[in-house]
């Protein structure tokens, strides 16, 4: 498995696969052909269908000078739903070409080449093998991460955490209408400041977590800087919970970093054995993965045992199975913003169930990850980030 650094990356919203990935790919291609005087990029699959709403064109145009972008909705024989072909020209002649895949979470692969990020850091291939390793050595999951990763991993996670905090705080202080034409107003500040008469402690917690999740997702929708967790489309779940636990419950940065390490490990297992790409497996691969990662991180933060952590992750993923990706107008707004807040609460609920019921479980985390992948592959293409069906189609028909 890869480093968890591939799971958590700082980048510009609104989409890790459609914005962060193409931005990175454009930089790589430009560095390969700096002498080119003209470029062309062809978008296929989901990239062609929702690239406009997801900011793909602007991400490419920020990097490549004199670039023409072609939308190809006809070609179906592509290696991944997020496929881009890059061409470089000099004096009217083609001097270079790369096919690049944006495989989810901002991670890219260049067809026919080894990807440096694909180098294995973890010898284990699934969660069961990780659990066996940790049990044999009486080791926590965060200790396992710190043993396997480079020595700078805690510094990296602290940088990631500070970027998450910044996104929450910017979002809580911002107002106005989000771009894209849907007329969606920012709600995070209102949620944060509005207290109902006689509000209970539980309602306060739910309102604040929702506000923190909305804050990050509204920043993402406004093309602000966020952290893939594991994608931009699901970037509000983990920060909202951890921000609440630090700023409202007094957890320390060092404890938050431990939770991020466990969350990243779970995301890594999913990315290795299934997918974190909405274009490949629907929103279950984004929201479901983030919910599962959050639940595992929370369980570790609360000091639960390995079995409870696995059950937390499993419950969170299991009850997102089949979740479709049908963004209205191809924007990461409806249902994405609200869905992040709902999933944050679901992650907390999963931990609370697992705390007491983990000895009764019958399904492993690895089994539910495998099921998610199979479900995603069986899912109709309309519901895999193409904006051709579901909520997106209903909006078109009105």
């Amino acid at each position: 498995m890869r480093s968890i650094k591939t799971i958590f990356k700082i980048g510009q919203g609104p989409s890790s696969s459609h914005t962060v990935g193409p931005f990175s790919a454009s930089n790589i291609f430009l560095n390969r052909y700096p002498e080119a005087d003209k470029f062309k990029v062809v978008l296929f699959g989901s990239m062609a269908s929702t690239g406009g709403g997801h900011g793909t064109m602007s991400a490419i145009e920020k990097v490549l000078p004199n670039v023409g972008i072609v939308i190809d909705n006809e070609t179906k024989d592509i290696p991944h739903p997020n496929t881009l072909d890059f061409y470089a020209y000099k004096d009217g002649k083609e001097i270079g070409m790369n096919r690049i895949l944006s495989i989810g979470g901002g991670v890219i692969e260049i067809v026919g080449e080894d990807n440096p990020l694909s180098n294995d850091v973890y010898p284990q291939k699934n969660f069961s093998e990780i659990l066996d390793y940790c049990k044999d050595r009486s080791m926590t999951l965060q200790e396992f991460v710190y043993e396997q990763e480079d020595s700078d991993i805690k510094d990296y996670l602290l940088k990631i955490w500070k970027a998450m905090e910044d996104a929450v705080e910017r979002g809580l202080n911002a107002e106005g209408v989000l771009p894209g034409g849907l007329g969606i107003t920012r709600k995070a500040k209102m949620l944060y400041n509005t207290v109902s008469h006689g509000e209970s402690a539980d309602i306060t917690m739910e309102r604040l977590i929702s506000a923190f999740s909305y804050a990050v997702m509204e920043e993402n929708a406004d093309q602000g800087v966020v952290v893939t967790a594991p994608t931009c489309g699901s970037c509000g779940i983990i920060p909202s919970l951890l921000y609440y636990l630090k700023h409202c419950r007094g957890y320390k940065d060092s404890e938050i970093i431990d939770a991020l390490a466990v969350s990243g490990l779970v995301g890594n297992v999913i990315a290795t054995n299934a997918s974190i790409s909405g274009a490949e497996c629907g929103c279950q691969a984004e929201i479901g993965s983030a919910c599962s990662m959050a639940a595992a991180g929370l369980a570790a933060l609360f000091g639960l045992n390995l079995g409870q952590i696995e059950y937390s992750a499993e419950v969170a993923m299991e009850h997102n199975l089949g979740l479709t990706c049908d963004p209205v107008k191809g924007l990461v707004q409806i249902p994405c913003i609200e869905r992040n807040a709902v999933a944050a609460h679901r992650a907390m609920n999963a931990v609370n169930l697992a705390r007491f019921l983990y000895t009764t479980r019958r399904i492993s985390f690895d089994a539910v990850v495998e099921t998610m992948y199979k479900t995603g592959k069986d899912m109709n293409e309309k519901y895999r980030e193409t904006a051709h069906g579901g909520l997106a189609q209903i909006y078109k028909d009105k």
Side-chain angles (χ1 to χ4, degrees), residues 72-366:
D72 185 336
N73 283 308
E74 303 301 322
T75 302
K76 304 299 180 184
D77 185 19
I78 50 177
H80 190 278
N82 293 329
T83 296
L84 308 91
D85 283 352
F86 286 78
Y87 297 88
Y89 300 92
K90 177 71 173 178
D91 298 328
K93 295 181 179 180
E94 181 183 317
I95 60 172
M97 183 269 177
N98 282 130
R99 170 161 282 190
I100 302 181
L101 316 179
S102 185
I103 64 172
V107 177
I108 63 170
E109 292 183 355
I110 302 174
V111 174
E113 299 183 14
D114 291 332
N115 185 346
L117 291 177
S118 68
N119 295 335
D120 286 340
V121 171
Y122 298 88
Q124 294 79 13
K125 66 178 182 294
N126 56 38
F127 204 65
S128 295
E129 291 185 6
I130 292 171
L131 290 178
D132 289 342
Y133 184 93
C134 291
K135 288 173 183 176
D136 288 345
R137 292 160 179 79
S138 299
M139 178 182 287
T140 66
L141 290 172
Q142 57 264 40
E143 288 171 341
F144 169 73
V145 171
Y146 300 147
E147 177 190 85
Q148 300 294 323
E149 295 275 353
D150 291 339
S151 59
D152 70 341
I153 188 60
K154 288 189 178 182
D155 291 336
Y156 183 84
L157 290 175
L158 180 60
K159 179 181 177 182
I160 289 297
W161 170 232
K162 292 305 177 184
M164 288 180 170
E165 281 189 297
D166 288 346
V168 172
E169 290 162 6
R170 288 196 312 273
L172 287 177
N173 287 291
E175 296 177 288
V177 178
L178 296 172
L182 287 176
I184 303 298
T185 58
R186 285 179 176 257
K187 302 178 182 68
K189 187 175 183 178
M190 178 187 69
L191 275 171
Y192 183 67
N193 291 325
T194 302
V195 180
S196 300
H197 179 69
E199 182 175 274
S200 68
D202 286 344
I203 293 297
T204 299
M205 179 184 72
E206 291 180 4
R207 176 175 57 81
L208 290 176
I209 290 172
S210 295
F212 301 151
S213 178
Y214 267 71
V216 178
M217 285 305 296
E218 287 168 356
E219 281 295 290
N220 179 66
D222 208 11
Q223 299 187 14
V225 176
V226 294
V227 176
T228 63
T231 67
C232 288
S234 60
C235 69
I237 298 170
I238 292 174
S240 65
L241 291 161
L242 297 183
Y243 192 91
Y244 173 79
L245 290 169
K246 175 183 173 180
H247 292 272
C248 303
R249 293 299 177 89
Y251 282 86
K252 300 176 182 177
D253 281 339
S254 58
E255 296 172 302
I256 298 295
I257 288 169
D258 286 347
L260 280 175
V262 175
S263 294
L265 183 64
V266 167
N268 212 1
V269 169
I270 298 169
T272 300
N273 294 282
S275 175
I276 57 171
S277 168
E280 187 173 19
C281 287
C283 198
Q284 58 171 2
E286 297 196 40
I287 290 290
S289 297
C291 188
S292 192
M293 291 166 61
L298 291 182
L301 188 63
F302 297 155
L304 304 191
N305 63 38
L306 293 174
Q308 290 168 316
I309 294 172
E310 181 185 13
Y311 193 31
S312 297
E314 182 265 305
V315 170
M317 176 62 81
E318 182 180 358
H319 297 288
N320 280 290
L321 290 176
L323 193 62
T324 59
C325 185
D326 50 353
V328 174
K329 285 192 71 175
L331 300 168
V332 191
Q333 296 180 23
I334 299 176
C336 318
I337 296 173
E338 186 178 272
R339 187 172 281 176
N340 272 252
V342 171
H345 298 300
R346 178 169 285 177
M348 186 73 81
N349 292 338
V351 177
N352 291 333
L353 279 174
R355 186 190 297 270
F356 302 107
L357 300 178
Y358 77 100
T359 58
T360 67
R361 68 184 180 90
R362 292 293 181 269
I363 300 174
S364 70
F365 178 64
D366 289 331

Side-chain angles (χ1 to χ4, degrees), residues 360-387:
T360 67
R361 68 184 180 90
R362 292 293 181 269
I363 300 174
S364 70
F365 178 64
D366 289 331
V368 79
V369 169
E370 180 182 359
T371 300
M372 184 272 281
Y373 189 61
K374 290 180 178 178
T375 302
K377 290 298 188 181
D378 288 342
M379 191 179 290
N380 190 297
E381 183 255 358
K382 292 189 298 184
Y383 305 114
R384 289 186 282 149
E385 206 171 1
T386 60

